[in-house]
Amino acid sequence: MDRFLALKVFTRVVEANSFTRAADSLNMPNATISKTIQQLESHLGARLLQRTTRRITVTPEGQEYYEKALSVLRDLDEIDASFKTAPATIKGHLRIAIGGSTARDVLVPLLADFMSRYPDIRLDLAVADRPADLIGGNLDCAIRGGPMDDSTLIARKIGASPLITCATPGYLKRYGVPASPDELKNGHRLVSYLSPASGRAFPFRFLRNGVVTEIKTEHHLGINESNAHIAAAEAGLGIVQTFTYSLRHALASGTLVEILSPWRPAPYPFHVVYAHNRHLPSRLRVFIEWLREGANKFLI
């Protein structure tokens, strides 16, 4: 039995909570994963996993072994990283979850630089506005906006983006330019961004003289995908509030016009997040460091 491989297989099965997902992420046959776990349990003389047709449960012995195995893998990664100083020596496959407009307007424009620095790192982008399950989806990290309330994830801030309120000149000519946030409640058509997880509309937020105001009024159009939300604004369907990075070109061309600028809300934080129980391989470490260096200039 290859004991190092057995450690990698066992920790990945625990993290993915699935033999099949572990096999996919390690690019190994499902039968090899199962056989490796059986050999490891036989070698240790202990049952690490309880398996049924529907689920996998980690035994107390398995949990203890997992924590110690993860520590060993982290130490090995740190040893390898201390010798792998040249970008050309860092290889592997990174799977990154990211929202639609953030991928289009922040990450993708930067990727040419990363890929030239690390030509042997292969990237998969899982693009969707709905928050991804990092462990269950065999993802290395995710780029997310907003406060980080999930204690199971490690969050590293990469920057913050201003939120602005805007509409097309044609819309403002037809419905008028609101002089204050309260006027949004009177005859204006709002295009709300709907949470992909809950379906609820995010309120329009405003800040002035330290006072935060939220406008919670019935929207005329709700959209749960960021690119479509921006397209609705550019089509003149109503007033939107979203990130400046998504509207950079539309504002520069005059397609959209900012309104209520004295009430701009506080910048919205963005983080790269990864699981607590996932050791940090060199390819993920350099990606996080690179992202923290370069992303902020695109978020503003």
Side-chain angles (χ1 to χ4, degrees):
M1 180 184 67
D2 183 333
R3 294 175 67 186
F4 176 65
L5 177 62
L7 290 181
K8 290 180 65 176
V9 167
F10 174 68
T11 55
R12 188 56 58 87
V13 168
V14 172
E15 292 171 358
N17 196 33
S18 164
F19 277 61
T20 300
R21 288 197 292 264
D24 290 343
S25 69
L26 293 170
N27 196 26
M28 296 171 63
N30 208 329
T32 302
I33 299 291
S34 182
K35 182 179 179 181
T36 301
I37 296 297
Q38 290 172 4
Q39 289 176 333
L40 180 60
E41 290 178 326
S42 177
H43 171 74
L44 296 173
R47 177 61 63 90
L48 303 177
L49 302 170
Q50 296 286 356
R51 301 180 282 281
T52 68
T53 56
R54 292 190 175 184
R55 59 180 299 184
I56 295 172
T57 303
V58 183
T59 66
E61 293 81 8
Q63 184 62 37
E64 181 180 359
Y65 191 78
Y66 169 75
E67 292 169 1
K68 292 179 178 178
L70 202 61
S71 177
V72 170
L73 290 172
R74 285 195 186 110
D75 289 343
L76 287 171
D77 275 337
E78 289 176 7
I79 293 169
D80 288 349
S82 68
F83 287 93
K84 293 179 177 179
T85 55
T89 66
I90 299 176
K91 303 177 181 181
H93 187 188
L94 271 180
R95 301 171 181 86
I96 303 156
I98 186 170
S101 65
T102 312
R104 185 191 68 182
D105 298 312
V106 179
L107 182 59
V108 171
L110 289 169
L111 277 184
D113 175 67
F114 181 80
M115 296 173 80
S116 66
R117 289 195 207 183
Y118 304 100
D120 293 321
I121 295 180
R122 184 161 60 96
L123 298 172
D124 283 352
L125 300 185
V127 181
D129 284 359
R130 180 181 292 273
D133 177 0
L134 295 189
I135 301 300
N138 287 319
L139 296 162
D140 294 287
C141 66
I143 297 169
R144 293 182 181 173
M148 291 293 106
D149 300 323
D150 191 340
S151 62
T152 67
L153 299 175
I154 297 173
R156 306 284 299 278
K157 188 174 180 179
I158 59 174
S161 180
L163 282 160
I164 66 170
T165 310
C166 59
T168 61
Y171 171 90
L172 296 173
K173 183 177 181 180
R174 180 177 180 183
Y175 292 95
V177 179
S180 71
D182 282 339
E183 290 190 15
L184 296 182
K185 302 175 183 178
N186 302 318
H188 278 285
R189 307 182 75 82
L190 303 185
V191 180
S192 293
Y193 180 75
L194 306 180
S195 165
S198 69
R200 289 192 287 269
F202 283 91
F204 282 59
R205 293 185 173 92
F206 299 94
L207 175 66
R208 192 173 192 184
N209 299 326
V211 178
V212 177
T213 302
E214 288 191 354
I215 302 297
K216 297 179 179 179
T217 188
E218 190 169 312
H219 55 262
H220 287 80
L221 176 62
I223 300 176
N224 69 350
E225 197 279 326
S226 51
N227 286 312
H229 185 233
I230 296 160
E234 294 175 344
L237 299 181
I239 296 173
V240 301
Q241 187 176 76
T242 191
F243 307 114
T244 52
Y245 66 75
S246 296
L247 305 176
R248 191 179 299 118
H249 300 300
L251 291 168
S253 67
T255 302
L256 292 173
V257 177
E258 183 178 7
I259 59 174
L260 302 172
S261 57
W263 285 269
R264 267 197 187 190
Y268 202 71
F270 279 79
H271 301 82
V272 56
V273 300
Y274 54 95
H276 271 289
N277 59 355
R278 176 154 292 181
H279 55 281
L280 200 64
S282 298
R283 62 188 181 276
L284 180 55
R285 175 177 53 81
V286 297
F287 176 76
I288 292 171
E289 291 172 356
W290 168 84
L291 192 61
R292 295 184 76 199
E293 288 175 7
N296 196 43
K297 66 181 180 182
F298 271 78
L299 287 168
I300 59 177

